[in-house]
Amino acid sequence: MPLLSLLLNLLWLVTGGIWMALGWLLAAVLMAVSIIGLPWARSALTIAHYTLLPFGQTAVRRDEFRGREDMGTGALGFIGNVVWFVLAGWWLALGHLVAAVGLAITIIGLPFAWAHLKLALLALWPVGTEIVPSDGVGRRLPGRI
């Protein structure tokens, strides 16, 4: 991890990033407990890790990144996103929006507010996305899940 990403991630944790990561972890646990939500639980854990350390990583559409569609990027992915939105997406997005507004008040909080806004959008419609290193966005990684 580059030094700037490390510094931004440490500041992110101090400015509240850890609380939203815990929110994603809670969503994963609730999905796993329901048994039916197990597919969303794994995704929520992945995004919880991304929320914990967002700098140096980015979320991309899986079909655009890999160059082919799969189950999560087609009609089943759409249905999965609708279910996710109803069960957990809206309250995670709301949490990210509240954090973004609080951080945007200060100039030093602007990069963190922007990160929360990107995470709020991801919280609304996460199925069919993949978290990749920022330096790997331009190249495809066919072996990654």
Side-chain angles (χ1 to χ4, degrees), residues 63-133:
D63 56 351
E64 293 172 6
F65 184 71
R66 292 188 177 186
R68 61 181 163 73
E69 286 194 13
D70 58 24
M71 230 171 29
T73 58
L76 285 176
F78 178 82
I79 293 168
N81 274 320
V82 170
V83 171
W84 170 262
F85 177 83
V86 170
L87 296 178
W90 67 271
W91 61 267
L92 285 167
L94 184 63
H96 282 295
L97 284 174
V98 168
V101 168
L103 288 167
I105 293 172
T106 66
I107 290 177
I108 198 160
L110 286 176
F112 306 112
W114 182 248
H116 274 296
L117 290 176
K118 290 193 303 187
L119 285 162
L121 286 175
L122 181 61
L124 292 175
W125 213 253
V127 178
T129 58
E130 185 167 350
I131 309 302
V132 297

Side-chain angles (χ1 to χ4, degrees), residues 14 21 23 32-33 36 47 49 51 60 68-69 77 85 93 100-101 112 122:
V14 172
V33 167
I36 302 169
I47 298 173
H49 179 263
T51 304
V60 295
R68 61 181 163 73
E69 286 194 13
F85 177 83
V101 168
F112 306 112
L122 181 61

Side-chain angles (χ1 to χ4, degrees), residues 11-22 51-52 116:
L11 288 171
W12 171 262
L13 292 174
V14 172
T15 58
I18 196 163
W19 295 111
M20 285 311 301
L22 288 173
T51 304
L52 192 62
H116 274 296

Side-chain angles (χ1 to χ4, degrees), residues 32-57:
V33 167
S34 73
I35 307 280
I36 302 169
L38 281 174
W40 294 280
R42 183 186 179 282
S43 297
L45 282 175
T46 301
I47 298 173
H49 179 263
Y50 175 52
T51 304
L52 192 62
L53 303 169
F55 297 97
Q57 302 181 79

